[in-house]
Amino acid sequence: MLKKTLNVNGIPRTILVNPKDSLSTVLRKQLMVLGVKVGCDSGQCGACNVIMDGKLIRSCITKMSRVPDGASITSIEGIGTPDNLHPIQLAWIAHGGAQCGFCTPGFIVSSKALLDSNPNPSREDIRDWFQKYKNACRCTGYKQIVDSVIDAGKVLRGEMTEEELAFKIPADGRIWGSSMPRPSSVAKVTGTWMFGADQGILMPEDTLQIAMVQAEVSHANILSIDTAEAEKMPGVHKILTHKDVKGKNRISGLITFPTNKGDGWDRPILCDEKIFQYGDAIALVCADTKKHADAAAAMVKVELEPLPEYMSAPAAMADDAIEIHPGTPNVYYTQKLAKGEDTAPIFEKADYVMEGDYYTSRQPHMPIEPDVGFAYMNEDGKLVIHSKSIGLYLHMYMIAPGIGVEPEDMIMVQNPTGGTFGYKFSPTMEAMIGVAALATGRPCYLEYTYKQQQQYTGKRSPFFTNVRLAADKQGKFLGLETDFSVDHGPYSEFGDLVTLRGAQFIGAGYNIPNMRGEGRTVCTNHCWGAAFRGYGAPEIEFPSEVLIDELAEKMDMDPLELRYKNVYRKGSTTPTGCEPDAHSLPDLIDLVRPRYEAAKKRAVANSTPEMKRGVGVAVGVYGCGLDGPDTAEIDVELNADDTITVFATWQDHGQGADSGVLGTAHEALRPMKITPDQIRLVMNDTSVCPNAGPAGGSRSQMVVGQAILNGCQALVAAAQKPDSTFRNYDEMKADGIDTKFHGKWSAPCTNCDENAQGDPLAGYMYGVFQTEVAVEVATGKTTVESILVAADVGCINNKLIVDGQIYGGVAQGVGFALSEDYEDIKKHSTLTGAGFPYIKQIPDNLEIMYIETPRERGPFGAAGTGELPLTAPHAAIINAINNACGARVRDLPALPEKILAAMPK
């Protein structure tokens, strides 16, 4: 042990430390400096940044043996507090620099070090700095962060006042359509937003720390599990196996499609008979400390019988492949697509036919915050589970039978969450921590390492897709045919849904009167498939958008004009045969066209023999809602102090659920002259909030928003007096009028039939993407130099939030196009190994243009936003690469070696 004095945020602290512990561990766990966040724990994300003796360091990789005695350390707490914000923090609030907020303290500390050393940095200086110090953000697209540093510098130099920087509520009091900062922004920029790991440190002394015993093979029979030696290890309270699970020991996949050949009960909580994928949980060690739990986990002996490992859909579909789940075929769901006339004669007579085979990769979500959760029994004997769940009621029903608890005896709570981007649409640790709390009777805490985050959470399901497109001499699309296979990993949850999405969005955005196709969901032994932003659309719109470019090239037609000729207009129908809810795509293309023509000229002018430049375009469309009569419920209550509380499970990936609820409720309550600060939000706790459904499918703003509108309208109507003024709380009570109202809304939609025909979704979002790239001819290395998005997401609730969603979505599209993958289980288990795009990989030149077409089914005309920006930017990048250097890459990611190989020789 070492005795050291550290001056932490101006306060001398003398402590005993283990010299092998990291500075981040000492700051967080000994000194309770919880603004220091730990993401990757390997120096790759910068969430743990602090300034030590004037220098920016990553505290997670700084051992205490290297920290000088008397060192001066500044964390986010030493830069500003909620009631005394630093200009950097004010700028982050004003520009929406904090979305989920997990990386924010590290970025702000990094910015402070930058501005201390360079008071007037350029945008490129800022980007170079964040690249050097490995500050990673998965939410924002980085543009808002650079904007924040620029304006913070102006305030510090006296060129701008704090008042000029701050948001001001418009004179009419209306915040709908404004750029009002999210309610959580102050907590996020000061490091006081309590994420799961922060709450874990503050849990009671008797809390048990969990370590998982995990499979290190992808497919095997379990012969024996021996915990005898492990149980003798120091600090071990209990080691749990499948024998300790009171329920069915399975997570329900909630199979709803009658043609699904599986029963949905295929995912073990703790493996009993088989290993289905690398990382599967076999046992849980519950101990007094994490170190003791990890040491004991290493002593658990598992005897296995290896089985063939099918690591891709084609392998699992082979004739000699055994059934991964005995009794259920590896191809367990098939989805037909049949719209219009039979396509065979159309293709025989068509003037032009283009066909291609395409592959989209197993994209990892890569939030900066690893998965974390805890569970306990409350004073009423109910099991309470805290996690990053973005489907609280959904997960309750998925895990309750497996752990042996009735749903009414469970409470699910979402902690403040450091990004999910969809992976938490699946339960990950919820069932395990629930089992542990039930079996031990004590609070139980589980925090994944980043390796576990990569290896034991779901990923985007790879698609293997063949597409054929027929057109006449003028370029009018006549028919489309497709055949695709979905590698959904070993667990069936939502596997049929993603395959249905493939049928619903192939060729989306275009009036293609005749379509035929078939998709299938395939069980494999690679990582299980989970929801990821755009679920199904980025996988299926990539092949159709690239194929359209190839057809344009064959026809010697401009690819933007070919799209313009065929996009939805009045009388068009979607791939599911219903009318689009807006016809703005021609107008969006008209917005883009002048920029596109200028970009083409710029590409020609700036290309050299060594560096080729090109321009690419793509159309993206996605739906808002879950299929059919998607339903949400909320409560709204007038309080004794005449404030109003909205109770909602509008779960937050970091996308701005708090702003969504506030903006929608305030607009609905404006007749009562309620100000935004009079609206309280109680969110994402099933003990007090009704079931508004999961935060997925870009449904929240439309479906939950309509329920909020419904509930608020009921309150407004009840409070209104005959003279059109409004009762306060005391007057409501005096008149015997209830002060709490229930809001509910169901989408007037129908499920698709067996041929994927119907009106399945509450609404749609439409976008046009334009990208400019530079390709280094000698290496194939590609740089995206600009992205332009023209979007119609209906009437905008909060522009700051919508902008942030689009910037962040297209940034993930850059990674999907060029670098991101989770194929090699070991190599891709880190951020850098999996191709995470840092700031210099994302262009600073990001621009958004909007058309706001009011949606009939949306509250105040709103649609969703979050998934549109990842529908097709990757296709536009791939098209731009071909435009630059003639390299047509059809399988993602387009690594330099693939581009180099595809270049004309």
Side-chain angles (χ1 to χ4, degrees), residues 272-341:
D272 39 27
E273 297 176 352
K274 284 187 72 175
I275 301 300
F276 297 102
Q277 68 163 48
Y278 192 100
D280 266 348
I282 301 168
L284 302 175
V285 177
C286 305
D288 59 347
T289 69
K290 184 63 164 61
K291 287 182 179 179
H292 282 155
D294 286 339
M299 297 298 291
V300 174
K301 299 174 184 177
V302 182
E303 187 181 1
L304 301 173
E305 176 192 13
L307 293 171
E309 298 180 349
Y310 304 113
M311 304 302 280
S312 70
M317 293 165 65
D319 292 340
D320 62 348
I322 65 172
E323 290 179 341
I324 293 171
H325 294 282
T328 300
N330 291 344
V331 179
Y332 59 88
Y333 179 75
T334 301
Q335 176 64 57
K336 300 288 187 180
L337 170 62
K339 173 189 174 185
E341 300 175 6

Side-chain angles (χ1 to χ4, degrees), residues 12 46 236 290 348 387 548 552 640 671 705 792 840 855 861 863:
V236 172
K290 184 63 164 61
E348 288 177 8
S387 72
I548 288 170
D792 180 0
K840 294 300 288 286
R855 301 298 200 272

Side-chain angles (χ1 to χ4, degrees), residues 81-93:
T81 62
D83 59 356
N84 185 25
L85 295 168
H86 190 279
I88 300 173
Q89 294 165 317
L90 289 169
W92 240 262
I93 292 171

